[in-house]
Amino acid sequence: MLNEFKTFIARGNVIDLAVGVIIGGAFATITKSLTDDLIMPVVGWLFGGLDFSSFFVILGDVPDSYAGSLTNYAALKEAGVPLLGYGQFVTVAINFLILAFIIFLFVKAVNRMAATMEREKAEGTAPPAADPADIVLLREIRDALQAKKVD
């Protein structure tokens, strides 16, 4: 069983997948920052100071010990108040769409590059063009003369 596991891990696909997951995790943090720090503030500014993280519904009682604002999603969540944070969901959905679009562009570029490489490879292995008829005739004459000399 251990040898089978070693064989499984040593396959290129597993290692490629592991590298992809690690890079994807790092890329997800970049996308989150892009959305949270650049896109959402601009969207909020365009819509008059709209902050999607402030869209939530309080589903339960707020503890008496809570002294923070009732409009602060993060503080209410930290205090253990049950919340329906649909604004946070909108932000995460936008993160997903941005990430999916960037991956789409990346895959499209890789596919285009692979198609170009295949086309160049196919063009490079094409059989040479046939010789013109006069060249073929001259070769036949040469071969016939050489055959006469040998006899």
Side-chain angles (χ1 to χ4, degrees), residues 14-32:
V14 174
I15 294 173
D16 292 344
L17 178 63
V19 169
V21 167
I22 292 168
I23 290 174
F27 192 71
T29 59
I30 292 170
T31 304
K32 181 172 176 22

Side-chain angles (χ1 to χ4, degrees), residues 29-110:
T29 59
I30 292 170
T31 304
K32 181 172 176 22
S33 176
L34 174 71
T35 305
D36 292 347
D37 301 330
L38 298 176
I39 294 174
M40 294 309 283
V42 171
V43 170
W45 176 74
L46 288 173
F47 290 101
L50 184 65
D51 180 14
F52 284 103
S53 65
S54 65
F55 292 145
F56 62 91
V57 175
I58 299 175
L59 299 175
D61 296 331
V62 178
D64 294 333
S65 61
Y66 179 72
S69 170
L70 292 178
T71 60
N72 188 337
Y73 177 76
L76 286 168
K77 190 171 182 178
E78 187 176 320
V81 177
L83 302 170
L84 179 67
Y86 62 92
Q88 188 65 26
F89 175 76
V90 168
T91 303
V92 171
I94 290 172
N95 278 345
F96 170 76
L97 291 174
I98 292 169
L99 185 60
F101 183 70
I102 291 171
I103 290 172
F104 165 75
L105 293 176
F106 178 73
V107 169
K108 185 176 177 180
V110 168

